[in-house]
Structures are given as C-alpha cells and as structure tokens.
Amino acid sequence: MDTGTHLVVGLGLAGLAYVDPAVAADPALATAVLIGTVLGSQAPDTDGLLRFRSNASYIRNHRGKSHSLPAVAIWTALITLVLAVLFQGISVPHLALWVFIAVAFHVFSDLFNTYGTQAFRPITEKWISWNIIHIFDPIIFCSHLIAIFIWSVHLATPQQIFPALYVLIALYYVWRTLAHFAIGRRIKLQDPQYDPSHRYIWIPTIHLYTWNVVKQTGPGDYVLGEFRGGKLRWVDKAHCHSHDAIDASKNHPDVQSFLYFTSTACAEMREHSWGYEVRWTDVRYRHRKQYPFVAVVLMDKQYEPIDSYVGWLSEGRVEKKLKISTY
C-alpha cells in the first residue's frame, strides 16, 4: 500500500480497537492505541530513509528487513514501550495487541501488490508479491475515509462502523484473490500462442477490471499486454540483449541492487563514441509505452563505469540525470 492508505488504515484500526472493552472504557488507553496504530501502520516504511544514503540502498532494502518476521515483533515492542512510558497506568497488553495488529496488517497488505516484501525473512529472502491489489486501491482508501468521517461526526459509534468496514475489506480481499486466479486461467485460454512452458504474470492496475500482463516466452524474451474488459491484447515485446558490457554492468552496485529486487529484468545495450550505455528495465512496470523502473550504467570502452542511476524515472529524466548527451 501507499503511505496515505497505510495512514487511514492506522486510523481505522484505532476505531476498530473500540470493540476491545478495555479500550472503550479507558480514554487514555484509547488515545495511546490511536497513536500506536498510526505509528504501527507506518513504522515498517521508515526504511524509506535509506533514500538519503542512495537509491541503490533503498531499492535493495525497502520492504526487506523492516518487513520481516523479527521486525514485526521489534516495531511492536518499541512503539508499545514508548507509549507505555508516556501513558503510565494504561493496560500495556491491550496496547501491545493493537500496535501488533497495525504493524502486522501493514506487512500483510504489502504482500498483495506487485512490489511485494521479504516478509518471511529470516526463513527466506525471496521477494513475495501476490499481484492481487494495486499499491493504491481506491476502494480500500475511500472506504476508510468514509468510515473515519462517519466516526468523526458521531453518526455512529466506532463499535458499529469499523467491524462492518473490516468485514467488507476482508470480503474485498477474498473477491480480488478469486478474481486474480480466474483471470490467470482466462489469459491462458485467450492467448492464441499459449504454450505450457510460457510464464505469465498478471498485475493489477488502479482500474478494477484492467490488468497488465507479462509473458516470458524464453530466456530474455517477453511479451507485454493488458487484460481489459475481459479481453486480452498484446501491445509490446521486449528482447534482452547480450554483450560483454551487459555482463560487466552486473558488477556495478546499482545493477546488483536492481537484480536483487526483480526477477523480470531485461537489459539493452547502446554503443556510443565514448563507450557503452547499458539500461536494465523491469518489464513488469510498463507505463505509457515506457519502462520507468531502471538501472542505467554508462561505461567507457574498457567497461569502466562513468556514471550510473537506479530508480524510477522517465526516459527524458534518465538522460538528463546522467548527462548522456555530453559524453
């Protein structure tokens, strides 16, 4: 989920906490729980501060250790400890329970989008992305805003509002999960070039009934399309290049971070008078005929790096960032 959705979920969980008799009976505990669920819903994403170190560090670590099994316990303990000191005399077990729910829900919900998490570290460092819910889902966000508004103007009690909200949210997740698997079957049935050896990935968009589709037909070969209104349409192809410059680029820290994160990376090499430009893209993130998630390395004729960039950029901004035209 995006930061704004995590925020409204934190507020929503504070309302849901009123089903706990201890929270409903103690205003101080209710206030502590409100602060705790908001902080807990944001805490795992504090790894965003790694951007100040470098984009490569951020990409390699975002939603990694901070979203792991030990991290859920650590975030819960830290937030609970601070709030227990500030709100002395409240029920610490009840506070810890709701902080834990907020942190755990953050990590759990992030599993459903394309970016994914390493939620099962230290058991495995595999990136888990179920491709079921878009990173910003209007239904989840708007339903929380409506519920919070109803609570704020006292049209109903939180005990009435938020259990109903989260039953609906649970049903929505179930529906999206079932739709995800059903669409996977329909894509294969509609693909005239279907082959059992092909690997398909179907990715949710902000539109409920539109999915981006990635088909890997072989090593380094991808077909990109969309499933819209029940119809499959292929719109682009990506063929990964092979060159010594591409092999050399794999030793660069920016590219290593990029490849650590994605299993759908594709490289393209361009030769210039000054050397080589190697551009890695993640084919899952096609947007308006571009692939904005990139790792680019400029190298001289001896494959020594001149400049590099990794992150989210448009075509023009990559060239501006690296000053390609000046070489």
Side-chain angles (χ1 to χ4, degrees), residues 196-273:
S197 65
H198 293 168
R199 176 193 174 205
Y200 292 82
I201 304 173
W202 49 104
I203 300 166
T205 69
I206 198 169
H207 305 287
L208 280 180
Y209 299 102
T210 301
W211 300 68
N212 292 329
V213 182
V214 177
K215 179 173 73 168
Q216 185 174 10
T217 57
D221 286 299
Y222 297 92
V223 183
L224 297 311
E226 63 178 15
F227 188 81
R228 181 194 297 267
K231 301 292 184 180
L232 175 66
R233 182 171 69 98
W234 298 115
V235 297
D236 199 5
K237 293 183 178 181
H239 173 69
C240 307
H241 294 183
S242 177
H243 192 274
D244 288 343
I246 292 174
D247 294 335
S249 74
K250 294 177 182 179
N251 297 319
H252 195 283
D254 285 359
V255 174
Q256 289 176 346
S257 294
F258 187 85
L259 296 179
Y260 178 74
F261 167 74
T262 178
S263 61
T264 52
C266 194
E268 176 186 1
M269 188 279 297
R270 298 176 185 173
E271 188 170 1
H272 300 273
S273 59

Side-chain angles (χ1 to χ4, degrees), residues 157-174:
T157 66
Q159 293 94 327
Q160 296 170 325
I161 303 166
F162 292 97
L165 170 66
Y166 283 101
V167 167
L168 292 175
I169 293 294
L171 292 174
Y172 178 66
Y173 270 78
V174 170

Side-chain angles (χ1 to χ4, degrees), residues 96-320:
L97 171 65
W98 289 102
V99 173
F100 168 77
I101 290 172
V103 177
F105 189 80
H106 176 123
V107 175
F108 176 72
S109 62
D110 280 349
L111 291 169
F112 282 81
N113 59 51
T114 303
Y115 201 96
T117 77
Q118 291 180 310
F120 294 126
R121 290 183 69 152
I123 299 172
T124 174
E125 291 190 12
K126 181 181 179 181
W127 288 94
I128 301 167
S129 53
W130 292 335
N131 298 316
I132 292 172
I133 304 288
H134 190 258
I135 192 168
F136 175 76
D137 188 290
I139 290 179
I140 296 174
F141 183 78
C142 293
S143 63
H144 276 81
L145 283 184
I146 293 169
I148 293 166
F149 173 77
I150 294 172
W151 180 22
S152 67
V153 297
H154 306 292
L155 293 178
T157 66
Q159 293 94 327
Q160 296 170 325
I161 303 166
F162 292 97
L165 170 66
Y166 283 101
V167 167
L168 292 175
I169 293 294
L171 292 174
Y172 178 66
Y173 270 78
V174 170
W175 172 67
R176 289 291 288 178
T177 301
L178 295 175
H180 171 84
F181 288 107
I183 286 170
R185 291 192 295 268
R186 294 177 66 185
I187 287 171
K188 294 175 183 178
L189 289 173
Q190 290 190 26
D191 184 3
Q193 284 80 44
Y194 170 74
D195 187 285
S197 65
H198 293 168
R199 176 193 174 205
Y200 292 82
I201 304 173
W202 49 104
I203 300 166
T205 69
I206 198 169
H207 305 287
L208 280 180
Y209 299 102
T210 301
W211 300 68
N212 292 329
V213 182
V214 177
K215 179 173 73 168
Q216 185 174 10
T217 57
D221 286 299
Y222 297 92
V223 183
L224 297 311
E226 63 178 15
F227 188 81
R228 181 194 297 267
K231 301 292 184 180
L232 175 66
R233 182 171 69 98
W234 298 115
V235 297
D236 199 5
K237 293 183 178 181
H239 173 69
C240 307
H241 294 183
S242 177
H243 192 274
D244 288 343
I246 292 174
D247 294 335
S249 74
K250 294 177 182 179
N251 297 319
H252 195 283
D254 285 359
V255 174
Q256 289 176 346
S257 294
F258 187 85
L259 296 179
Y260 178 74
F261 167 74
T262 178
S263 61
T264 52
C266 194
E268 176 186 1
M269 188 279 297
R270 298 176 185 173
E271 188 170 1
H272 300 273
S273 59
W274 42 264
Y276 304 96
E277 172 193 348
V278 176
R279 182 182 302 246
W280 290 88
T281 59
D282 189 334
V283 297
R284 293 177 299 173
Y285 297 109
R286 185 179 185 276
H287 180 66
R288 295 180 180 175
K289 301 181 181 181
Q290 294 184 346
Y291 299 90
F293 185 40
V294 301
V296 183
V297 181
L298 308 183
M299 295 178 284
D300 61 23
K301 293 293 186 178
Q302 289 72 46
Y303 306 129
E304 294 296 325
I306 299 171
D307 203 353
S308 68
Y309 180 81
V310 61
W312 296 85
L313 287 177
S314 67
E315 176 77 15
R317 290 178 62 196
V318 170
E319 295 180 354
K320 182 178 180 180

Side-chain angles (χ1 to χ4, degrees), residues 86-103:
L86 295 176
F87 294 86
Q88 295 185 12
I90 63 173
S91 173
V92 175
H94 287 268
L95 172 62
L97 171 65
W98 289 102
V99 173
F100 168 77
I101 290 172
V103 177

